[in-house]
Amino acid sequence: MNKTKSFAISKQMVFKAYNQVVANRGAAGIDNISIEQFQEKLSKNLYKIWNRLSSGSYFPPSVKAVEIPKKNGGTRVLGVPTVADRIAQMVVRNSFEPKAEKHFLPDSYGYRPRRSAHDALAVTRKRCWQMNWVLEFDIKGLFDNIDHELLMKAVTKHTDCKWELLYIKRWLTAPFEKKNGEIVPRNSGVPQGGVISPVLANLFLHYTFDKWMVINFPNNPWCRYADDGIVHCKSKEQAEYIRISLEKRLEQCKLAMHPDKTKIVYCKDSNRKGNHENIQFTFLGYTYKPRKAKGQNGTVFTSFLPAISKKAKEHIRQTIKSWRLLWMTNKSLVDIAWQYNPVIRGWLNYYGKYGKKELTKVLEHINLHLSLWIRRKYKKYKTKPTQARQLLSYIATKERNLFAHWKVGIT
């Protein structure tokens, strides 16, 4: 370690952060330098980051503002830091995150080591069987509206490391830069897309919601994944009381509930009678609602179960359509499978956890488009849709491992 440096940040810390950033990939920031370009002068670039971080002279550049479409319409602004800035953020995150992580509660699942959306879905599924009512809530524009003063109060509670505090403050106020070059200053929020942003958002909600729930409603299980959350309740009246209380709590912390994404739901099944306005909710791309189930003895009954949501289905259908398989007649089935199997596997791995039958119906659209591809590629099948479909089924039987969804029986 160089004793003349202001901060005890080693070159090994920077190199470890670099390897993590490379593994995560990601696009170029405002300097348009990709990971590959950064690697062309790797030693020089890493030395520059280390030198500036360890001397206290590192100032983050503007964050590239990229608008990405939401599944339900509209756009979300994603902040894309430069490759160098992502490495610098990773250095600070690696040092700060363990200090905060050990205080986070078990029912906080988003952006945490060794926790996943499937874990959150599983515990929610179980609790819906145990308690009749659910308060589903969403925090409006969390990443844009986190109050910097309150956040830094939380940060200082978990670290007194001068360089962690210094750089976190600098990243909070690093401006956005739009495509047209306009610089947008930031007085609140953390950039969605920043390396250190998830742990900061989790820390803010740890005090805003998680600990508040434990203190004020210890008998109501909850589950939170970033800004989406579920609270399980014994009655509708209890759910309404918690909703009002939570609205006030969020206002105290300068946040707000999303009015359209917050509702009270009755977990209706064979044993729960009565009609209620809302008997379903969507959480992490899965819709929980009354569905037919079969017991071990063959008895059919209604249970409250998750399966892929309507919005997720539509997103998958639109994605398949955007592949334009009809126009890929210059390619073979092997080429097409190689190109799209990673995406198909992703859908199967995530949405196939529960309610596989619902996912099967959606992925059959791939076979529909492949049948159209056969009719376009081979003239003798041009006006014979039934025969084209039969040919595809024959190929799927013989080459079951070719497409990821064929491998699990969707042929």
Side-chain angles (χ1 to χ4, degrees), residues 149-197:
E149 186 178 343
L150 290 175
L151 175 58
M152 287 309 301
K153 186 178 178 181
V155 170
T156 54
K157 189 177 178 69
H158 295 284
T159 183
D160 58 0
C161 176
K162 290 182 179 180
W163 57 269
E164 289 176 8
L165 295 169
L166 173 68
Y167 292 127
I168 287 172
K169 284 180 182 177
R170 287 180 183 175
W171 277 309
L172 289 179
T173 55
F176 275 126
E177 184 169 330
K178 292 186 176 180
K179 194 175 182 180
N180 61 5
E182 180 187 352
I183 302 295
V184 181
R186 282 214 333 273
N187 301 311
S188 65
V190 294
Q192 194 166 357
V195 171
I196 202 166
S197 297

Side-chain angles (χ1 to χ4, degrees), residues 30 61-65 78-81 85 174-178 186 191:
I30 57 163
S62 300
V63 178
K64 184 179 181 180
L78 190 70
V80 182
D85 195 46
F176 275 126
E177 184 169 330
K178 292 186 176 180
R186 282 214 333 273

Side-chain angles (χ1 to χ4, degrees), residues 13 90 125 186 214 274:
M13 292 164 69
M90 189 68 79
R125 176 173 174 256
R186 282 214 333 273
V214 171

